Amino acid sequence: MTTPITLPPMDELTLTELRCRYEETTDAETRTRYQMLLLSLRGQTSSQIAQMVLRSQDTVVRVLKRYFTGGLDAVPRRTAPGRERTVTAAWEAELLRVIELDPHEVGQDTANWTTERLAQYLGQHTGIQVTEETVRMYLHAHDYVCKRPTWTDAGAKPSRRPTTWETPAGRGALSRYPSTHSTQTSTRSRPGRG
């Protein structure tokens, strides 16, 4: 367990700056961290502050230590740098270009694009290898949806074949069986039910 610590008194200029930052920040976590400093200046221990702001005592101590070493600028949460983005603007532009084309138009021996096929094609043409999930996420970001193709039975009776109507612009198509299709339920009883 961490030993409780409190802040020593602050000079008036730093205290005014702290209060100003506390009032003006739009980030809730940063405001909570500035609140930790203000509560510590009122004589609260790190364990008491942790209970008041619903954070662990370790977090409170870490924020107070960051203030000790770096001043007010060190108090807001730092963003981890993370890995550099793999996908380039050229890769994304090529994805958006080919998704609108028939796969045959770009030399693919398939009728439909899949995320796997798009990842392979883009890897060959841009040199950037990505997963199917990356392709799906970029398609989703541009309002594309991956879905399964609809299959119909070519040998079905004409009365059972779905009829398709266009819906208002941009809404796809609706499929429905003609009105000759019966929707009545069977009146036969199940075996063993008298």
Side-chain angles (χ1 to χ4, degrees):
M1 184 164 170
T2 314
T3 48
I5 62 172
T6 56
L7 287 180
M10 235 181 242
D11 63 83
E12 195 60 39
L13 182 63
T14 308
L15 182 59
T16 304
E17 177 66 19
L18 171 60
R19 287 185 176 139
C20 182
R21 289 182 185 204
Y22 173 77
E23 293 296 331
E24 291 177 0
T25 187
T26 57
D27 180 51
E29 183 61 27
T30 301
R31 185 180 177 99
T32 300
R33 288 168 179 253
Y34 287 136
Q35 183 182 20
M36 292 175 193
L37 295 177
L38 291 169
L39 291 169
S40 182
L41 287 172
R42 289 187 177 169
Q44 302 289 323
T45 64
S46 56
S47 57
Q48 292 170 330
I49 295 170
Q51 290 177 346
M52 294 172 95
V53 297
L54 303 176
R55 298 292 185 276
S56 70
Q57 184 179 356
D58 289 339
T59 299
V60 174
V61 169
R62 192 170 41 253
V63 169
L64 295 177
K65 285 182 178 178
R66 282 170 63 179
Y67 170 73
F68 282 135
T69 59
L72 291 176
D73 291 333
V75 173
R77 179 185 289 181
R78 291 177 277 193
T79 305
R83 194 172 77 175
E84 241 181 84
R85 183 178 163 174
T86 306
V87 172
T88 63
W91 181 93
E92 197 169 351
E94 181 65 7
L95 170 67
L96 296 175
R97 183 186 77 81
V98 298
I99 194 67
E100 293 295 332
L101 300 175
D102 183 87
H104 295 107
E105 293 179 41
V106 290
Q108 299 295 307
D109 191 27
T110 182
N112 297 315
W113 282 116
T114 64
T115 53
E116 179 183 12
R117 289 180 185 138
L118 282 165
Q120 290 170 353
Y121 171 83
L122 292 165
Q124 293 168 353
H125 287 78
T126 65
I128 299 171
Q129 300 295 326
V130 296
T131 64
E132 298 170 32
E133 181 63 11
T134 301
V135 172
R136 190 197 64 75
M137 287 176 14
Y138 275 86
L139 287 171
H140 182 73
H142 291 282
D143 297 325
Y144 286 93
V145 178
C146 299
K147 60 183 183 177
R148 296 173 188 231
T150 305
W151 297 94
T152 57
D153 182 8
K157 296 178 186 175
S159 63
R160 294 282 298 158
R161 277 199 197 125
T163 305
T164 304
W165 294 275
E166 288 292 320
T167 58
R171 303 247 178 148
L174 293 174
S175 228
R176 143 183 143 165
Y177 287 101
S179 59
T180 58
H181 175 63
S182 173
T183 57
Q184 294 178 344
T185 57
S186 174
T187 56
R188 291 189 310 180
S189 62
R190 293 187 202 162
R193 295 232 174 176

